[in-house]
Amino acid sequence: MKKIILLAGVLFAVSTTVTSCKKDYKCKCSKTYSSGSGSTTNDYSSYIYKDTRARAEDRCNANAETGSDFWGNYSINCAIE
């Protein structure tokens, strides 16, 4: 009987440490154009990631970039809300 209780305890401990807490995290990005007269920031996009907090932050930060287009130089910054 003791072996069964011990085994059940070990299985419970292993199952709770192996599974991770996945939730929905909202990643919100903004696009900032910079020019000689200042800068303009606008909402750009948003994403929902169902993952752990650390992985969702990594995925969100991967959306950041800089570049230029017809309206000038820009930077896209993203963060978990």
Side-chain angles (χ1 to χ4, degrees):
M1 184 69 172
K2 288 181 182 179
K3 289 182 181 180
I4 294 173
I5 293 172
L6 180 62
L7 181 61
V10 169
L11 289 175
F12 176 75
V14 169
S15 68
T16 57
T17 57
V18 171
T19 60
S20 59
C21 184
K22 292 186 177 182
K23 296 181 180 178
D24 287 341
Y25 291 98
K26 184 176 183 180
C27 172
K28 188 172 181 183
C29 300
S30 60
K31 191 172 192 178
T32 302
Y33 283 99
S34 56
S35 65
S37 60
S39 63
T40 304
T41 302
N42 298 311
D43 289 341
Y44 181 65
S45 60
S46 62
Y47 307 95
I48 302 292
Y49 295 118
K50 185 173 184 83
D51 219 328
T52 62
R53 172 104 185 163
R55 288 201 42 155
E57 286 178 348
D58 289 342
R59 292 174 68 187
C60 183
N61 292 335
N63 294 310
E65 67 176 76
T66 58
S68 62
D69 59 17
F70 182 74
W71 293 278
N73 296 328
Y74 66 85
S75 63
I76 298 173
N77 297 308
C78 303
I80 296 288
E81 289 188 324

